[in-house]
């Protein structure tokens, strides 16, 4: 009887340990654990296993102006409390950015990348510039370094040109992109590279008529819900029909200048549309600037741990959507 009891106890102990460990591992599964090395397959981003993936998260603000949120505690908070599966480091180039202070700005970006790797989330490394063709050497040096140092991590997504202005895709942006892609591919054969498109990354239809030859290439679409309506969705649908994989690396719930009202209905229309096409997105922005697109109130703590009163209306609405996307992704 004693032997029997002891055996039963041992068995029960084993069963409980198994259940506990299973629960623990399910709970601690990160987006990168779940999806691994991402790829572009036709018009979608897919996981290592080939399942369609839609990432959702936050973009930081221009690194040289509001660099205080470029730290590991803030990224940890965005991953754990806001449930971001992706964050975007918007490294300024002009206006006292990387072109003037390369080491200082690079250091901020690397802090964000290291923290994203620790948290098991994806990170968009953005060359935040409106005339990147004038900074081709800087872009090649920067992305070559990032690819060499981090190209073996599945976390990295390269965004090589934030928002080109009204310049030609085929004459200006495409040659720039091909040169930067070549610099990245010398060190990293596979991670996704997102290319900017004409007119503040709206004319994805123009890019779709003359796409880049190469694997794992996506194209940037940006929108601000108060300014960009159905007409921009129509352009995007042309691009998708022509076979492009789109990534909304930046969007706002406000007017295109980053301020004005928060357009809840219009933002929801865009979220629905992005869900329909499995398009990944990052919201502009993690900042305490006095403008309505900034998620935080003035002087919100730089190390995360924000309470409700630190978060402005746009941030609250976006956070709720991020939690919903996370539940959808992990079925929790
Ligand atoms: Mg790689």
């Amino acid at each position: 009887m004693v032997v029997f009891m002891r055996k039963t106890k041992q068995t029960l102990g084993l069963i409980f340990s198994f259940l506990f460990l299973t629960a623990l591992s399910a709970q601690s599964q990160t987006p990168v654990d779940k999806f691994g090395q991402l790829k572009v397959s036709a018009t979608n981003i897919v996981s290592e296993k080939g399942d369609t993936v839609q990432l959702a998260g936050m973009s930081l603000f221009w690194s040289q102006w509001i660099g205080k949120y470029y730290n590991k505690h803030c990224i940890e908070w965005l991953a754990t409390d806001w449930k971001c599966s992706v964050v975007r480091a918007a490294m300024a180039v002009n206006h006292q950015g990387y072109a003037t202070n390369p080491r200082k700005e690079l250091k901020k970006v690397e802090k964000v990348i290291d923290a994203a790797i620790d948290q098991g989330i994806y990170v968009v490394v953005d060359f935040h510039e409106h005339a990147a063709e004038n900074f081709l050497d800087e872009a090649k040096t920067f992305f070559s370094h990032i690819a060499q140092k981090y190209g073996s991590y599945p976390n990295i997504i390269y965004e090589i040109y934030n928002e080109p202005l009204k310049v030609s895709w085929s004459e200006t942006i495409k040659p720039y992109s091909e040169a930067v892609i070549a610099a990245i591919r010398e060190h990293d054969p596979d991670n996704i590279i997102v290319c900017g498109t004409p007119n503040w990354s709206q004319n994805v239809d123009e890019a779709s008529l003359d796409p880049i030859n190469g694997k794992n290439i996506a194209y940037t679409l940006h929108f601000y819900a108060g300014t960009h309506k159905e007409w921009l969705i129509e352009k995007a649908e042309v691009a998708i029909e022509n076979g492009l994989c789109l990534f909304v690396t930046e969007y706002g719930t406000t007017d295109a200048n980053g301020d004005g009202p928060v357009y809840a209905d219009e933002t929801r229309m865009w979220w629905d549309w992005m869900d329909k096409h499995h398009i990944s997105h990052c919201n502009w922005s993690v900042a305490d600037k006095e403008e309505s697109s900034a998620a935080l109130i003035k002087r919100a703590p730089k190390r995360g741990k924000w309470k409700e009163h630190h978060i402005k209306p746009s941030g609250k609405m976006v956070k709720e959507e991020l939690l919903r996307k996370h539940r959808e992704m992990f079925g929790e």
Side-chain angles (χ1 to χ4, degrees):
M1 190 62 187
V2 173
V3 173
F4 173 76
M5 294 270 291
R6 197 181 292 149
K7 283 216 160 156
T8 310
K9 258 188 177 170
Q10 275 175 352
T11 313
L12 280 174
L14 278 172
I15 289 170
F16 280 122
S17 324
F18 174 77
L19 288 175
F20 176 72
L21 286 172
T22 308
L24 195 69
S25 74
Q27 201 178 32
S28 60
Q29 194 186 33
T30 67
V32 174
D33 288 338
K34 189 172 167 81
F35 303 124
Q37 180 74 40
L38 302 175
K39 290 174 283 190
V40 171
S41 172
T43 60
N44 289 323
I45 290 178
V46 301
S47 71
E48 207 163 306
K49 292 181 197 148
D51 301 323
T52 304
V53 174
Q54 184 192 16
L55 304 174
M58 293 298 296
S59 174
L60 301 180
F61 197 80
W62 294 77
S63 60
Q64 91 286 34
W65 284 322
I66 308 189
K68 64 182 173 182
Y69 295 111
Y70 285 64
N71 67 77
K72 70 172 182 180
H73 306 283
C74 176
I75 301 307
E76 182 183 350
W77 190 250
L78 289 169
T80 56
D81 191 65
W82 285 49
K83 303 291 183 192
C84 291
S85 52
V86 60
V87 290
R88 176 182 190 238
M91 187 190 71
V93 181
N94 204 350
H95 310 295
Q96 303 299 306
Y98 177 80
T100 319
N101 302 306
R103 266 178 299 188
K104 189 175 164 193
E105 296 310 308
L106 179 65
K107 206 173 151 193
K108 292 178 196 168
V109 172
E110 291 192 346
K111 273 193 205 170
V112 173
I113 296 175
D114 290 337
I117 292 171
D118 280 350
Q119 294 300 318
I121 62 173
Y122 295 91
V123 54
V124 173
V125 181
D126 160 34
F127 204 67
H128 205 72
E129 174 52 46
H130 292 292
E133 63 275 12
N134 299 335
F135 297 96
L136 178 60
D137 287 341
E138 287 85 349
K140 281 159 69 177
T141 304
F142 171 71
F143 283 110
S144 175
H145 168 82
I146 298 292
Q148 215 165 348
K149 189 164 177 183
Y150 294 107
S152 60
Y153 290 92
N155 310 66
I156 307 297
I157 297 166
Y158 306 94
E159 183 184 3
I160 59 179
Y161 193 159
N162 167 43
E163 288 181 350
L165 303 179
K166 287 189 177 175
V167 291
S168 157
W169 164 257
S170 295
E171 302 299 320
T172 305
I173 306 168
K174 189 181 177 190
Y176 163 88
S177 304
E178 286 171 331
V180 179
I181 291 168
I184 293 172
R185 288 296 182 239
E186 261 183 51
H187 305 290
D188 180 357
D190 49 7
N191 284 41
I192 293 174
I193 301 172
V194 193
C195 303
T197 56
N199 203 23
W200 288 269
S201 286
Q202 291 167 50
N203 293 359
V204 284
D205 50 344
E206 191 183 332
S208 74
L209 299 174
D210 183 17
I212 288 168
N213 235 330
K215 278 188 175 167
N216 298 328
I217 305 294
Y219 297 81
T220 313
L221 175 69
H222 286 178
F223 72 83
Y224 281 78
T227 310
H228 304 114
K229 313 280 180 171
E230 279 85 357
W231 56 267
L232 186 55
I233 284 189
E234 280 164 25
K235 283 163 91 69
E237 288 192 336
V238 169
I240 296 168
E241 275 163 33
N242 288 341
L244 293 198
C245 173
L246 303 181
F247 195 132
V248 174
T249 56
E250 176 184 320
Y251 74 92
T253 61
T254 62
D255 291 322
N257 64 2
D259 214 351
V262 171
Y263 296 83
D265 292 345
E266 289 81 351
T267 301
R268 272 182 235 293
M269 177 196 72
W270 275 99
W271 280 332
D272 288 345
W273 179 79
M274 291 189 287
D275 285 355
K276 183 174 143 200
H277 294 284
H278 314 289
I279 295 173
S280 298
H281 49 80
C282 294
N283 175 249
W284 184 266
S285 66
V286 178
D288 65 345
K289 195 179 171 189
E290 279 165 1
E291 63 178 22
S292 54
S293 63
L296 305 169
I297 61 160
K298 202 78 201 146
R299 285 184 283 279
K302 63 180 186 181
R303 292 154 70 101
K305 299 217 159 66
W306 307 305
K307 304 216 162 56
E308 279 302 289
H309 75 270
H310 291 124
I311 306 172
K312 293 205 297 227
S314 177
K316 282 186 178 149
M317 186 169 95
V318 172
K319 184 183 176 191
E320 210 172 285
E321 176 66 7
L322 291 172
L323 298 181
R324 190 186 74 77
K325 293 306 289 177
H326 180 265
R327 285 193 298 273
E328 189 182 277
M329 186 181 284
F330 286 92
E332 285 161 15

